[in-house]
């Protein structure tokens, strides 16, 4: 068994698709299929169900995936330690960030860091807060950036910036240009929100709880997994949403979205990392670059 076989197996397991896994690894489809077949044949175990053109993990595959992730996390940690022995930051830095941060806050920081440390390869993945925490815990990411609140004693949480949520509707929505609504008025709206596990949704729901409105009191018509999809749905004029001001700004500037005059509290952008895992020089250098000073991000 080789590390390359483990990497190929996990790429297929995470995407449940051989072709997409091959593309992500810059390998041919036959190479990926061959690696999976070699693992299954050598150990006489079936790792995937083949259902038409679709594949999914077997129970044995799910068990093996956990072990494979742990092994590769250990390898990455060893590589980071060796890279640090050379002095200057080098090697790779894997970052997992929630969608708002990955799309609107991190890119400029990544560019700045690359200019300072061109010998460090940067890898960014995006998802929701729950997925980010999982990536940090299993070693798939050196650093995680989240908007939501987490409760995990094994993970350090540090503030790096602040963000502001706004409620927006489409230009043709009845609430476009109306006077400030009351809290109870919000329960009359049809909402499009991010999925459960999203930092944006959890922050909005907590803000509503503080004003006496339970999540079940809101009429959530549609759940969508991306900020762009939400803004496009709201622009039709039938729904409202709560998103980062930075996410809505393009639609507001274009006249497709309108801000509802209802104040929501700011929220934290936090960096998280596993307390017991070695922190590389690259990770330390990145944190030093972004943490001075802490500002409101608009």
């Amino acid at each position: 068994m080789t590390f390359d076989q483990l990497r190929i197996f996990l790429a297929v397991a995470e995407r449940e698709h051989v072709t997409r896994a091959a593309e992500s690894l810059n390998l041919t489809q036959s190479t990926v299929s061959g690696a999976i077949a070699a693992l299954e044949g050598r150990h006489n175990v079936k790792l995937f169900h083949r259902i038409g053109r679709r594949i999914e993990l077997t129970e044995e595959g799910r068990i093996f995936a956990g072990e494979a992730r742990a092994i590769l996390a250990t390898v990455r940690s060893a590589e980071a330690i060796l890279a640090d022995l050379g002095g200057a930051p080098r090697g790779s830095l894997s970052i997992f960030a929630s969608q708002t941060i990955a799309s609107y806050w991190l890119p400029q920081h990544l560019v700045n860091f690359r200019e300072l440390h061109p010998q460090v390869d940067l890898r960014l993945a995006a998802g929701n807060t729950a997925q980010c925490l999982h990536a940090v815990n299993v070693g798939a990411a050196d650093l995680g950036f989240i908007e939501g609140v987490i409760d995990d004693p094994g993970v350090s949480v540090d503030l790096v910036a602040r963000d502001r949520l706004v409620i927006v509707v489409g230009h043709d929505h009845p609430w476009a240009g109306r006077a400030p609504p009351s809290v109870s008025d919000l329960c009359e709206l049809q909402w499009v929100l991010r999925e459960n596990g999203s930092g944006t949704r959890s922050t909005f729901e907590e803000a509503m709880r503080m004003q006496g409105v339970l999540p079940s009191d809101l009429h959530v018509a549609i759940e969508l997994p991306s900020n762009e999809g939400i803004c496009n749905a709201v622009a039709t004029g039938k729904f409202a949403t709560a998103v980062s001001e930075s996410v809505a700004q393009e639609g507001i500037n274009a006249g497709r979205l309108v801000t509802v005059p209802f104040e929501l509290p700011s929220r934290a952008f936090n960096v998280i990392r596993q307390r017991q895992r070695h922190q590389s020089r690259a990770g330390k250098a990145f944190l030093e670059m972004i943490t001075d000073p802490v500002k409101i991000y608009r």
Side-chain angles (χ1 to χ4, degrees):
M1 186 183 299
T2 68
F3 293 136
D4 283 341
Q5 286 176 328
L6 294 182
R7 292 188 180 98
I8 290 171
F9 165 73
L10 285 179
V12 176
E14 289 166 359
R15 292 163 180 79
E16 295 189 334
H17 200 283
V18 173
T19 301
R20 286 197 284 269
E23 291 172 350
S24 72
L25 296 170
N26 198 27
L27 297 173
T28 64
Q29 184 173 335
S30 61
T31 299
V32 171
S33 298
I36 298 300
L39 280 174
E40 292 182 324
R42 180 177 179 83
H43 301 282
N44 192 30
V45 64
K46 194 174 184 64
L47 299 173
F48 293 97
H49 294 298
R50 277 78 172 178
I51 307 172
R53 301 183 65 180
R54 184 170 60 86
I55 63 173
E56 61 183 34
L57 283 170
T58 62
E59 181 60 27
E60 293 82 0
R62 279 191 286 273
I63 294 171
F64 181 58
E67 296 297 325
R69 289 190 184 96
I71 290 169
L72 291 182
T74 301
V75 171
R76 290 184 62 254
S77 179
E79 289 174 337
I81 291 172
L82 283 177
D84 281 355
L85 295 176
R90 62 182 66 250
S92 64
L93 180 63
S94 296
I95 297 172
F96 197 109
S98 56
Q99 285 192 23
T100 301
I101 296 175
S103 299
Y104 298 93
W105 186 80
L106 262 182
Q108 185 60 57
H109 291 297
L110 294 176
V111 171
N112 293 343
F113 185 80
R114 179 66 180 179
E115 291 176 349
L116 291 171
H117 304 286
Q119 66 275 40
V120 178
D121 294 326
L122 297 170
R123 301 168 185 166
L124 175 64
N128 62 34
T129 293
Q131 293 166 336
C132 183
L133 176 60
H134 176 72
V136 168
N137 271 327
V138 301
D142 302 305
L143 300 173
F145 289 86
I146 61 172
E147 311 134 18
V149 177
I150 62 169
D151 181 16
D152 188 329
V155 172
S156 66
V157 181
D158 295 292
L159 177 71
V160 291
R162 299 200 71 85
D163 179 46
R164 182 172 289 109
L165 286 185
V166 293
I167 295 175
V168 293
V169 295
H171 180 269
D172 296 326
H173 193 278
W175 277 32
R178 67 159 285 173
S182 66
V183 175
S184 60
D185 290 338
L186 300 181
C187 297
E188 301 173 3
L189 291 171
Q190 295 287 316
W191 293 88
V192 178
L193 296 178
R194 285 285 303 279
E195 76 285 0
N196 285 317
S198 157
T200 297
R201 180 162 180 170
S202 62
T203 300
F204 174 59
E205 289 181 345
E206 182 58 29
M208 292 296 94
R209 283 192 191 94
M210 292 175 63
Q211 301 199 48
V213 176
L214 297 175
S216 57
D217 295 331
L218 299 173
H219 301 297
V220 181
I222 304 175
E223 292 184 356
L224 291 174
S226 74
N227 293 322
E228 291 75 15
I230 284 176
C231 288
N232 287 335
V234 170
T236 64
K238 299 178 175 64
F239 306 103
T241 193
V243 292
S244 167
E245 189 174 36
S246 57
V247 170
Q249 197 61 59
E250 181 179 351
I252 293 171
N253 292 343
R256 296 185 297 110
L257 300 177
V258 177
T259 304
V260 175
F262 187 89
E263 191 71 20
L264 293 173
S266 65
R267 61 175 176 173
F269 281 174
N270 292 316
V271 59
I272 62 174
R273 65 183 184 86
Q274 233 291 330
R275 295 183 186 274
Q276 296 183 349
R277 190 165 287 117
H278 171 78
Q279 187 177 19
S280 67
R281 287 180 184 269
K284 291 177 182 177
F286 191 80
L287 290 180
E288 288 172 358
M289 185 193 74
I290 65 173
T291 52
D292 186 26
V294 174
K295 296 180 178 179
I296 291 283
Y297 176 67
R298 296 182 61 103

